[in-house]
Amino acid sequence: MTLTIVPVSLREASTFITEHHRHHLPPQGMKFALGVASHGLLVGVAVVGRPVARHLDDRATLEVTRSCTDGTRNANSKLYGAAWRATRALGYHRLITYTEAGETGVSLRAVGFRPVKDLAPHPGWDRPNRRRKAPTRAVARIRWELSTQNHRPPTAQSPAALDSSPCGTTIAARTTALDGRDQLVHGEITGQRTNSSLPMISP
């Protein structure tokens, strides 16, 4: 079976995840998304964004926030491999993701990911000063990562630094319509619509 990496929009990835993912809803935003197709039929998607955990958002790391297939053999490893190559091409040095405890992670190991931390069930990101919807499933997880030798461990940074690109320059908060459906905001793509562009914000 021939598997081919194909581009997908956030809307297309979200639709696929809604239809096929066992226990997660689509993410709210992304840096980029990838699809994998077999004979012209989309059989899997991966969505990559900034790390959800703020202490891992060190300007050199991205996270595969969703990886979802219809069960096609080798589709997951194909997506993870492509996600890593795209991550490196964008100038980042580490890619992380999570599996539930008990899952083998065979697709991750095939690409070179290694398990780095066992995590207890997380109650969610809801805080008094930052309200979030509680997760429907709090389960133990394993964090996996793949990194280059140039990656440095996360260090404390100011909020302004966290909004900059890997090379240290500020990403302008310009909103641009993509395919008439998605937007680019602070370097993140969201599924909102727009009919106009916001002005550039000076660094």
Side-chain angles (χ1 to χ4, degrees):
M1 178 183 295
T2 301
L3 296 176
T4 306
I5 295 297
V6 296
V8 294
S9 68
L10 177 59
R11 175 172 291 185
E12 291 167 332
S14 296
T15 298
F16 190 94
I17 291 168
T18 299
E19 294 175 351
H20 296 281
H21 206 290
R22 297 193 306 271
H23 45 252
H24 280 303
L25 296 174
Q28 295 299 309
M30 68 177 188
K31 285 288 187 180
F32 63 87
L34 299 165
V36 59
S38 175
H39 304 292
L41 177 66
L42 189 66
V43 297
V45 298
V47 178
V48 179
R50 287 169 58 175
V52 176
R54 289 189 173 187
H55 69 282
L56 296 175
D57 193 1
D58 61 352
R59 296 186 295 158
T61 301
L62 290 181
E63 177 181 334
V64 180
T65 54
R66 295 291 185 277
S67 177
C68 176
T69 75
D70 64 358
T72 298
R73 184 179 175 84
N74 297 326
N76 255 325
S77 57
K78 186 81 170 181
L79 287 168
Y80 283 124
W84 173 238
R85 291 191 297 273
T87 295
R88 291 291 295 113
L90 289 171
Y92 294 87
H93 292 280
R94 180 170 64 162
L95 185 62
I96 64 173
T97 193
Y98 299 84
T99 61
E100 291 190 358
E103 294 180 335
T104 64
V106 62
S107 297
L108 292 164
R109 294 182 189 277
V111 178
F113 280 83
R114 59 188 179 89
V116 294
K117 190 171 185 178
D118 294 325
L119 301 170
H122 196 284
W125 298 101
D126 187 44
R127 302 291 185 272
N129 62 340
R130 191 180 75 251
R131 308 312 304 188
R132 295 289 188 274
K133 183 179 179 180
T136 56
R137 301 173 70 256
V139 298
R141 299 175 301 154
I142 300 172
R143 187 170 76 230
W144 300 71
E145 75 170 43
L146 182 57
S147 62
T148 69
Q149 294 181 348
N150 295 327
H151 177 261
R152 293 179 297 176
T155 57
Q157 300 180 42
S158 67
L162 292 177
D163 282 335
S164 59
S165 68
C167 60
T169 57
T170 300
I171 300 175
R174 184 179 179 85
T175 303
T176 306
L178 303 175
D179 295 332
R181 296 170 294 185
D182 303 329
Q183 298 176 4
L184 183 63
V185 183
H186 285 296
E188 295 278 353
I189 298 177
T190 68
Q192 302 171 354
R193 293 169 176 263
T194 183
N195 293 321
S196 60
S197 295
L198 297 175
M200 297 292 289
I201 298 177
S202 300

